[in-house]
Amino acid sequence: MRSRYTAFATHAIDYLVATHHPDTLPEADREKIKRFSEGATWSGLEILDTEGGHPGDQEGWVEFIARYTEDGEARLHHERSLFRRHQGRWFFHSGHQPKAVPTLRAHPKTGRNDPCPCGSGKKYKKCCASGS
């Protein structure tokens, strides 16, 4: 994963194409990869999780966030990628965006007719919820 990130950052398009798994190589759009790589200024890689990919494994997953700037706007690419071993080497097979994890509220939601949590003594709908 780290070598592919470095290849994106240094625009090593041949390497990015060559590290596609043979099963998915026909789907690797060289021009699209080149536009994405060269259109961004890459600023960091954060590995969030790995699963498998150990000696003896035939596949492994890497979840990561790659940070970059494109058209003057800071962006991030969050992906969970599948790597598969082929003839003793690891190749990128496929990737998808992980599903968002629902956030849990620390406190119950304030109802319109509940006392305002700011402590004013007014109903929420007449205080902070009113926008005034």
Side-chain angles (χ1 to χ4, degrees):
M1 182 61 241
R2 292 183 197 284
S3 69
R4 285 182 54 85
Y5 170 81
T6 300
F8 271 103
T10 60
H11 317 303
I13 310 308
D14 291 337
Y15 180 83
L16 291 166
V17 172
T19 56
H20 259 269
H21 192 276
D23 292 347
T24 62
L25 191 55
E27 301 164 17
D29 183 339
R30 189 178 203 297
E31 288 307 311
K32 184 177 177 183
I33 293 169
K34 182 178 179 181
R35 280 192 308 274
F36 185 49
S37 171
E38 293 177 353
T41 302
W42 300 88
S43 56
L45 173 68
E46 179 182 358
I47 304 294
L48 301 176
D49 190 28
T50 61
E51 181 182 322
H54 304 289
D57 289 343
Q58 292 304 305
E59 65 179 39
W61 291 89
V62 178
E63 183 175 349
F64 67 92
I65 294 176
R67 298 182 194 298
Y68 63 99
T69 303
E70 186 176 51
D71 298 328
E73 185 177 326
R75 298 177 188 228
L76 58 84
H77 179 78
H78 185 183
E79 182 173 299
R80 184 167 157 80
S81 296
L82 173 63
F83 289 82
R84 288 199 172 147
R85 193 183 302 266
H86 178 73
Q87 297 179 347
R89 291 186 54 215
W90 288 102
F91 292 87
F92 170 76
H93 185 273
S94 56
H96 66 274
Q97 289 184 332
K99 293 181 181 172
V101 177
T103 56
L104 299 175
R105 295 179 190 270
H107 303 285
K109 185 175 179 181
T110 304
R112 291 176 29 84
N113 291 316
D114 291 339
C116 191
C118 77
S120 67
K122 297 179 182 179
K123 288 185 177 184
Y124 181 61
K125 68 182 178 186
K126 295 286 186 175
C127 190
C128 291
S130 71
S132 55

